[in-house]
Amino acid sequence: QDVKKRLQSMLDEGMAAALRRKSAEYQRAADAFQASERFLQSLLDHLPVMIYRKDLAGCLTFANRHHCERYGQHLESLLGKSDAELAPPDLAAESAVDHRTVIEARTALEKDEIQVTADGARRWIHVIKVPITDPAGRVIGVQGMYWDVTEKKRVEGELVKLSSAVEQSPVS
């Protein structure tokens, strides 16, 4: 009986020590995960780019703060909406084509395009759209990032005009 109690006590102590080790491992993993989440959220909120994710139907599932500000709405009011609800018909149609292209080709798309801001201004943006895949490799949506290139486009236009004027001017 005495041996049985000592063995049970040793077993209990060993299990308790193993549980403490596992608990400490779990806590370290949870702390690392939270630190990683804070890091990523900081990037999403502070990098000067707009970032979004859409499901297969083209409905918004995530947007960073800058994307929401661009539309002049809170995230909650943008979630679930498609470009058909947020953009003029011509731009929404172009975006839908791009969305399908990224999904079907399973490859990135990078281009300049027009976007209408919350105040109705038409702005040039440079956008990169890439497919989102699940662990099995199936495409489950599209994510993208973009930034305003309106000033760059304006300067390029001025350079083209200036270059044309120089080419057409008589040589003295």
Side-chain angles (χ1 to χ4, degrees):
Q1 278 265 342
D2 206 25
V3 171
K4 187 176 179 183
K5 282 185 180 180
R6 278 192 301 179
L7 285 175
Q8 186 62 47
S9 177
M10 288 172 54
L11 182 61
D12 289 347
E13 287 174 20
M15 289 180 74
L19 284 173
R20 282 192 298 275
R21 281 192 305 274
K22 282 295 180 190
S23 178
E25 286 176 30
Y26 173 78
Q27 189 59 52
R28 282 192 298 275
D31 291 347
F33 178 77
Q34 288 175 348
S36 177
E37 286 288 305
R38 285 190 304 275
F39 169 73
L40 291 174
Q41 192 61 51
S42 176
L43 286 176
L44 291 170
D45 287 343
H46 295 98
L47 287 175
V49 295
M50 285 60 84
I51 301 171
Y52 64 88
R53 292 183 87 161
K54 296 178 182 178
D55 62 19
L56 287 173
C59 296
L60 202 66
T61 60
F62 169 82
N64 74 339
R65 178 175 55 90
H66 296 296
H67 181 81
C68 295
E69 289 170 356
R70 187 82 169 191
Y71 282 94
Q73 297 183 39
H74 293 285
L75 178 62
E76 297 76 28
S77 64
L78 289 171
L79 291 177
K81 291 186 178 176
S82 69
D83 285 329
E85 300 167 271
L86 297 169
D90 58 327
L91 301 180
E94 180 181 345
S95 182
V97 168
D98 290 349
H99 189 78
R100 284 192 305 276
T101 299
V102 169
I103 290 168
E104 291 168 7
R106 300 176 61 88
T107 188
L109 173 68
E110 184 171 356
K111 68 179 200 168
D112 291 342
E113 65 185 34
I114 294 287
Q115 183 186 60
V116 177
T117 61
D119 62 3
R122 292 175 80 85
R123 308 282 300 180
W124 280 100
I125 61 170
H126 185 81
V127 63
I128 302 169
K129 303 174 184 187
V130 297
I132 306 166
T133 56
D134 68 10
R138 293 181 299 257
V139 175
I140 59 170
V142 173
Q143 59 192 353
M145 63 184 281
Y146 61 95
W147 53 95
D148 195 301
V149 294
T150 304
E151 183 61 18
K152 177 182 174 244
K153 289 286 193 180
R154 186 193 66 74
V155 169
E156 286 173 354
E158 292 296 322
L159 286 173
V160 167
K161 287 179 191 174
L162 184 59
S163 177
S164 178
V166 167
E167 287 176 10
Q168 293 177 3
S169 67
V171 180
S172 30

